[in-house]
Amino acid sequence: MNGSKRINSLRVSPIRKLMPYAKKCEENGIKVIKMNIGQPDIKTPKVFFDAMCDFDFEVLEYMDSRGIEELINAFIDYYKNFDIEFEYDDIIITQGASEAITFIFMAVCDLEDEILVPEPFYANYGNFADIVAVNLVPIATKAEENFSLPSIDVMQEKINQKTKAIMISNPCNPTGRVYTESELKTVVEIAEKNDLFIISDEVYKEFVYDDHRFISMASFKNIEQRIIILDSISKRFSCCGARVGTVATKNKMLIDNMMKLAQARLSVATLEQFGAAALQRVDPNYIKNTLDIYKNRRDIILEGLSKIDDVIYNTPEGAFYTIVKLPVDDAEKFVIWTLENIQIEGATLLITPANGFYSNDTDGIDEVRISYCIDDTDIKLGMEILKRALEEYPGRKA
Amino acid sequence: MNGSKRINSLRVSPIRKLMPYAKKCEENGIKVIKMNIGQPDIKTPKVFFDAMCDFDFEVLEYMDSRGIEELINAFIDYYKNFDIEFEYDDIIITQGASEAITFIFMAVCDLEDEILVPEPFYANYGNFADIVAVNLVPIATKAEENFSLPSIDVMQEKINQKTKAIMISNPCNPTGRVYTESELKTVVEIAEKNDLFIISDEVYKEFVYDDHRFISMASFKNIEQRIIILDSISKRFSCCGARVGTVATKNKMLIDNMMKLAQARLSVATLEQFGAAALQRVDPNYIKNTLDIYKNRRDIILEGLSKIDDVIYNTPEGAFYTIVKLPVDDAEKFVIWTLENIQIEGATLLITPANGFYSNDTDGIDEVRISYCIDDTDIKLGMEILKRALEEYPGRKA
């Protein structure tokens, strides 16, 4: 009586793996500065909670599998801010972007089909791909080159008969890159040349710093049949717990296929959908203020990194993550060693070994992902801890 | 640029398929008596909504992938009412029973593995199986035999090297059967003999009528490693829209595997979990009153059926469905014809052709599923419409 083998390939989240070490610190009264998580700390807009309390139906019923009309319309209106035009039938509300990813993979790929994805990539892309028996084919990008997409020729080498799509996260978790128009055009070119879908994860679209500009894949209107956008309210409105995301595409065949999946799971949680729909009424200053807060945090990280010797880092352009290459033998060992050995003002630091964002166990071994979903003071202290840890770590490379 | 082929096999829900016909009636001012749906009409306990409004965190965060502690403990306490003992680590909260089914299929089966299931069965079992590339192998049961499970020898013939589990719905959607201890023992016997898991869908456990007694598969404690229970608050507390279900098993390997799937999708909607946890405080009379209401409705249906010639029906023992064999050429045609041709007091009737609950397109062709999630007056009228429709339907069999 054995369980299935297919789940064995799923990797434990690079974030969760270290939780026992962090827990032990906390049990010993040591504060853990958590620069590992993607859980925003900004207050969720009150209108979300108010809308849920205003719900006045007597029976909490299944909603339409596509999502409630108010919420679909809210997304349509929201996208207009980005000059993106989606219609009602182009959108399906999903249980977070997580479900959207599964729906897209299933709708695009048969068993063992392939999707290209720039690496490092969000660890759960890999898990969802394993779950639905799709192969992610990494396109290497490097810290030394600010994780720029390679030339079309390099990408072309990865394509074969089983390649069905190319997927990007823009702004990128985990690298903090915001892709340029020129890079996006390369993606379009490779898709057109090889008849691929383009899957664009745009959940961090509101978090773009300095002069960088977010360009939605949906703005390439002449290839709209190839474009699939996945999105979520989790990050921009600090409401990860709502589990409300969306998939949007002008491709009717894909939407029809994904609707079958949506119908099988019946519907998304009702009340959280009403809360999410109300977010359309949030004062635009909420997003502006949020962006200012994250930008300031990013600047603190940059200042901290500038004081540390021998690290390779870039200026994060978007999202609230950055990948940093450290002068260490093994980032996972380093992170654990730091938790166990370094404290400043009674606090230690938890960051994420970046290996989990690579498909190969031996890649990204000296890199970490640093996130900034905590307050300025803690970030400043976190960077001091990182500096000291790198100075004292026995596995430091020359 | 084609989408995947694997979604093509998904069948449109037997309920949704007829919605356009019902909609047309409503547009023409005709009331449609909906004896097709599994959406309870009883009021959701107020405590659910109150708990959500009482939520006083400032950030709507991801919760633990396993589910919130309050809710897991609420399920543990609830199961004690049935003399079932689950511990914290035996339970995972899921996005409705829907997600629980997917988790279980994935954890038990590799690609193309098989699960036995008495037929007719809940249509979405088939869809979820298709989604995760598992084959459901039907065990035929018949209206003429009150959908009793066949002998162990008949089941044994369906088993091969790829068979991993046997799955039952008890009380059964769509048949209304509550399996006897003797039938459950047959399931246990076949599982032990062939080293199978037993997947028991017990979401209707509170709906059991007359002298019938619900026996949870979890009460077979000497084979607890084989048993997987799936459950949901949707039906018993009239809150399908909460999307809160659970999977419970004493098998640690399975739980560990399913936790990986839970972690990939991060967490279940936060606020709905708090609402669901509060349901543990609902006055026990709520369930008792609900049961009385459904039992009364069932009796009205039985009285109605007793007045109709040439139908084969059983006394529903549980849940709020029954399968009825009609003297018609094709139940789907009959249902559509009824919508288009029969009205009493300005109302017509929508019931579900049962073919969708069979894996083979040609089975159950003269059967319908009747549900009773509407009020007594409408049920009474619905049965009159059914009687008249059967009298006048041109495709009636002699």
Side-chain angles (χ1 to χ4, degrees), chain A residues 58-249:
Chain A
E58 292 189 324
V59 181
L60 188 60
E61 297 190 359
Y62 293 119
M63 295 290 109
D64 189 317
S65 297
R66 184 184 290 278
I68 64 168
E69 203 174 324
E70 293 87 333
L71 181 53
I72 293 173
N73 287 331
F75 273 110
I76 291 171
D77 287 345
Y78 170 76
Y79 290 132
K80 285 180 184 155
N81 303 334
F82 296 85
D83 199 26
I84 304 171
E85 283 177 28
F86 279 119
E87 291 172 28
Y88 196 86
D89 293 341
D90 302 332
I91 291 177
I92 299 172
I93 305 300
T94 55
Q95 286 162 159
S98 300
E99 187 181 64
I101 297 170
T102 312
F103 280 9
I104 295 166
F105 285 0
M106 291 270 313
V108 166
C109 293
D110 279 306
L111 300 181
E112 308 308 334
D113 279 347
E114 298 181 359
I115 297 175
L116 300 188
V117 58
E119 186 177 62
F121 55 81
Y122 174 51
N124 271 328
Y125 289 171
N127 282 334
F128 290 122
D130 286 342
I131 287 169
V132 301
V134 164
N135 295 325
L136 293 190
V137 176
I139 302 166
T141 71
K142 292 197 177 99
E144 291 83 348
E145 297 163 359
N146 194 15
F147 302 104
S148 298
L149 295 185
S151 71
I152 191 162
D153 295 339
V154 172
M155 289 197 242
Q156 186 65 42
E157 284 169 20
K158 304 279 187 180
I159 294 176
N160 63 47
Q161 286 298 318
K162 290 192 147 301
T163 314
K164 290 294 172 346
I166 176 165
M167 178 169 195
I168 58 169
S169 158
N170 183 34
C172 184
N173 171 14
T175 66
R177 265 310 302 283
V178 176
Y179 293 116
T180 62
E181 187 169 5
S182 151
E183 284 173 298
L184 297 181
K185 280 184 174 165
T186 309
V187 172
V188 169
E189 198 180 333
I190 197 105
E192 288 200 283
K193 192 172 163 190
N194 298 280
D195 199 20
L196 307 178
F197 290 106
I198 298 171
I199 305 166
S200 189
D201 177 350
E202 305 185 348
V203 308
Y204 294 99
K205 71 165 84 58
E206 297 285 0
F207 304 100
V208 176
Y209 312 115
D210 310 326
D211 295 333
H212 298 282
R213 191 167 68 94
F214 164 72
I215 303 169
S216 172
M217 266 296 170
S219 62
F220 292 89
K221 292 178 187 178
N222 58 330
I223 56 152
E224 62 181 21
Q225 292 299 308
R226 297 189 186 283
I227 307 290
I228 312 160
I229 305 294
L230 75 97
D231 194 12
S232 162
I233 60 166
S234 294
K235 309 296 176 174
R236 60 182 175 262
F237 288 117
S238 280
C239 54
C240 300
R243 312 310 298 126
V244 171
T246 183
V247 51
T249 176

Side-chain angles (χ1 to χ4, degrees), chain A residues 1 4-6 16 39 44 53 58 60 62 65 95 106-107 109-110 132 195 241 243 267 270-272, chain B residues 1 4-6 16 39 44 53 58 60 62 65 106-107 109-110 132 195 241 243 267 270-272:
Chain A
M1 190 178 58
S4 71
K5 291 180 207 78
R6 61 171 143 180
R16 290 176 195 274
Q39 164 65 60
T44 309
C53 290
E58 292 189 324
L60 188 60
Y62 293 119
S65 297
Q95 286 162 159
M106 291 270 313
C109 293
D110 279 306
V132 301
D195 199 20
R243 312 310 298 126
S267 66
T270 298
L271 286 163
E272 313 262 6
Chain B
M1 191 177 58
S4 71
K5 291 179 207 80
R6 61 171 143 180
R16 291 176 193 273
Q39 164 65 61
T44 309
C53 289
E58 291 188 324
L60 187 61
Y62 293 119
S65 297
M106 291 268 317
C109 291
D110 279 306
V132 301
D195 198 20
R243 311 311 297 127
S267 66
T270 299
L271 286 163
E272 313 262 7

